Each structure stands twice: as C-alpha cells, then as structure tokens.
C-alpha cells in the first residue's frame, strides 16, 4: 500500500522543477487545475497533457512513480467514469441494455472525466514529490501573510504541513497492523461487504491510538525545543524569487492565454 501512495512524499533532486520557488509551484498548481476544468475540447487536453509530460520530464522522476500513484484512486476514477459512460442519455445511442445506455456524449464525457482525474492527480503529485514539506509550510505562510491579523497563518500552515508529512507514516503503520492481523488469522479479502467492513475495525482502533500517541510525542518534542508559535520566530530558510521562476511564470501565463483563446 505504501509503495503506491505518493501523497506527502518528497523525492530529493536538483531538477528544474525542484529548484522552483514553492510559492510559484503552489499558485501554478491551483491555476493549472482551473485550466483543467476550463478545458472543453480535445485540443485543450492534448496541450495540457503535453505540458504535464514535459513537467514530469523536467522533474527527473520516472513516469512509473506517477502511474503507481494512481492506484489508490483507481476505484473512484473507475466508478465516476462508469457513471458518465452508461448514465448519460444525451447523444446518439451506441449500445443499450435496460437502463444502461452507451451514447456518444457519454463516451466523450467519460474520457474527459478520466483525463481530468489523471491530470489533477499528476500536477498535485509533481508539486509534493519535488517540494520539501518544510518549504511548503513556508510558502503557505508567505502567501497567506496578508490574512495574519484575522487568521493564525503560521499555525494553519504548520498543521497542514504536519498532516501531509504524516500521510506516508500512517500508511506504513496501517501496513504493519494489517500484517499483524493477518498473522492472527484475519482475512480482509473474504466474505461479503459487511464482513469486510467489520474486518477493518481491528485496523482502525490501533491506528487511531498510534496516531494520537504520535501527535502527543510530537507536541512534547516541540514544547521541549521551545516552540511557541509564530511569535518572535525567525526563519533559517529564506524564499527567493529567481530568474527561473520568472521564466516559468511567463510560460504559465502564455499557457493560460492559449487555453482561454482556444
């Protein structure tokens, strides 16, 4: 399970994408997602797919890593695509069986929904795989600094960073608990749906206990090191906007103009 999960993981590197300012990467990710949902034609998706493949190449991370990351979301993707495929009644009917109808519009919608899922997952994982969690925290805090008077920006950014950081840790803990339960004779693949749901309970209880223990230990460690929130706090790592960020911004603006024009 943990081998397929790429959310919250960081792969060290010195590629062009790794060296971009994390503030730019966060803003570019949001704008790119907006472009994905604005796209309405084949040419749009061809351009966006080409851009994603180019970013993957520039990140120096194998495409197989991103493809393996789709597996945890595969059930949701297939379920949504099937709904669009057989329950869209507009367009010419290609095949029908009772309430199920395969139409031209349904086929088109299913392909576009699939492309949107894949592109959104890829662009978000490009950011997380090439950006350290601590720099993501700094970027979020910097971007939301104008709201500092009405929102505890530092604490919120730290909370999001810790949550993202502990996703792989909790998944690894889940694997250990499942292996332990299997050694005691629990089979998670047998029985009907109710039986499988009941089999999850022996996993959830020790997982919650482990998560709370980790949270308690982390809080004690932070207090022991003198952590008192953002008050009087300085930063060792300073975010700097460089030429590569200006170049990437120009490319992003050009892409937005092209998609909107199309």
């Amino acid at each position: 399970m943990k081998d397929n999960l790429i959310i919250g993981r960081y792969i060290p590197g010195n590629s062009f994408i790794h060296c971009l300012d994390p503030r730019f990467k966060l803003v570019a990710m949001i704008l790119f997602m907006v472009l994905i949902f604005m796209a309405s034609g084949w040419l749009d998706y061809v351009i966006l797919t080409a851009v994603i493949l180019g970013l993957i190449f520039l990140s120096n991370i194998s495409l197989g890593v991103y493809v393996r990351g789709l597996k945890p979301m595969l059930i949701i993707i297939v379920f949504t695509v099937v709904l669009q495929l057989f329950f869209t009644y507009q367009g010419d009917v290609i095949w029908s069986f009772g309430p199920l109808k395969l139409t031209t519009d349904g086929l088109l919608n299913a392909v576009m929904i699939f492309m949107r899922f894949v592109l959104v997952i890829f662009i978000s994982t490009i950011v997380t795989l090439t950006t350290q969690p601590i720099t993501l925290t700094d970027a979020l805090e910097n971007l939301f600094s104008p709201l500092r008077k009405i929102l505890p920006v530092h604490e919120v950014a730290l909370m999001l960073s810790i949550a993202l950081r502990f996703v792989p840790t909790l998944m690894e803990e889940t694997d250990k608990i499942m292996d332990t339960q299997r050694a005691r004779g629990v089979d998670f693949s047998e029985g009907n749906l109710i039986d499988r749901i009941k089999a999850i309970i022996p996993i959830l209880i020790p997982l919650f206990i482990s998560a709370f223990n980790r949270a308690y230990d982390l809080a004690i460690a932070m207090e022991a090191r003198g952590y008192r929130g953002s008050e009087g706090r300085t930063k060792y790592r300073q975010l700097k906007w460089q030429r590569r960020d200006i170049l990437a911004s120009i490319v992003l603006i050009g892409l937005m103009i092209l998609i909107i024009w199309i």
Side-chain angles (χ1 to χ4, degrees):
M1 184 185 299
K2 64 179 181 295
D3 294 331
N4 294 329
L5 189 75
I6 57 179
I7 298 175
R9 286 192 176 184
Y10 167 69
I11 298 179
N14 195 30
S15 68
F16 179 82
I17 306 298
H18 281 82
C19 297
L20 287 173
D21 192 290
R23 294 169 296 182
F24 168 78
K25 285 192 273 191
L26 285 175
V27 173
M29 179 185 69
I30 295 172
L31 293 178
F32 198 88
M33 289 181 179
V34 172
L35 291 178
I36 291 172
F37 287 99
M38 284 178 59
S40 58
W42 293 109
L43 184 58
D44 297 340
Y45 286 104
V46 169
I47 294 173
L48 293 174
T49 302
V51 172
I52 287 290
L53 292 176
L55 293 175
I56 292 174
F57 174 76
L58 291 175
S59 68
N60 288 340
I61 298 174
S62 172
L63 178 61
V65 176
Y66 297 94
V67 174
R68 286 197 303 271
L70 289 174
K71 291 183 179 179
M73 300 292 295
L74 193 59
I75 296 178
I76 297 176
I77 295 174
V78 171
F79 178 74
T80 308
V81 169
V82 168
L83 285 181
Q84 293 292 329
L85 196 61
F86 294 108
F87 292 95
T88 300
Y89 299 116
Q90 291 81 18
D92 299 329
V93 178
I94 303 174
W95 174 84
S96 65
F97 180 77
L100 303 178
K101 289 185 179 181
L102 178 61
T103 64
T104 53
D105 286 359
L107 185 61
L108 180 63
N109 289 339
V111 173
M112 289 190 174
I113 289 294
F114 175 77
M115 291 299 299
R116 285 178 179 176
F117 264 111
V118 173
L119 292 176
V120 167
I121 293 173
F122 275 12
I123 189 62
S124 59
T125 50
I126 286 173
V127 173
T128 56
L129 289 178
T130 60
T131 312
Q132 296 183 22
I134 187 65
T135 56
L136 279 178
T137 304
D138 294 340
L140 285 170
E141 185 177 355
N142 186 273
L143 290 173
F144 288 102
S145 57
L147 304 176
R148 189 167 294 162
K149 292 184 178 180
I150 60 174
L151 188 71
V153 175
H154 174 79
E155 286 75 11
V156 171
L158 180 64
M159 181 175 59
L160 292 175
S161 175
I162 291 175
L164 188 65
R165 161 64 182 82
F166 274 94
V167 168
T169 303
L170 291 178
M171 295 307 296
E172 185 176 356
E173 190 72 22
T174 303
D175 280 342
K176 291 180 180 179
I177 295 172
M178 291 181 68
D179 291 340
T180 303
Q181 297 294 344
R182 289 193 185 100
R184 293 171 179 171
V186 178
D187 193 342
F188 299 101
S189 60
E190 289 186 354
N192 55 31
L193 180 61
I194 302 299
D195 293 333
R196 294 186 182 185
I197 293 176
K198 290 180 179 179
I200 295 177
I201 296 177
I203 300 175
L204 293 179
I205 294 175
L207 183 63
F208 273 108
I209 294 174
S210 174
F212 282 121
N213 288 336
R214 288 181 183 275
Y216 179 77
D217 293 340
L218 180 62
I220 294 298
M222 292 173 69
E223 288 182 1
R225 288 165 173 78
Y227 178 77
R228 295 293 181 272
S230 59
E231 184 178 355
R233 187 174 178 85
T234 59
K235 292 186 178 296
Y236 173 72
R237 299 174 181 84
Q238 299 294 329
L239 300 178
K240 295 181 180 180
W241 196 263
Q242 301 180 9
R243 291 183 180 179
R244 63 171 67 92
D245 301 304
I246 298 175
L247 175 62
S249 301
I250 295 173
V251 173
L252 177 63
I253 293 172
L255 177 65
M256 292 178 62
I257 294 174
L258 177 62
I259 295 296
I260 293 172
W261 178 75
I262 292 176

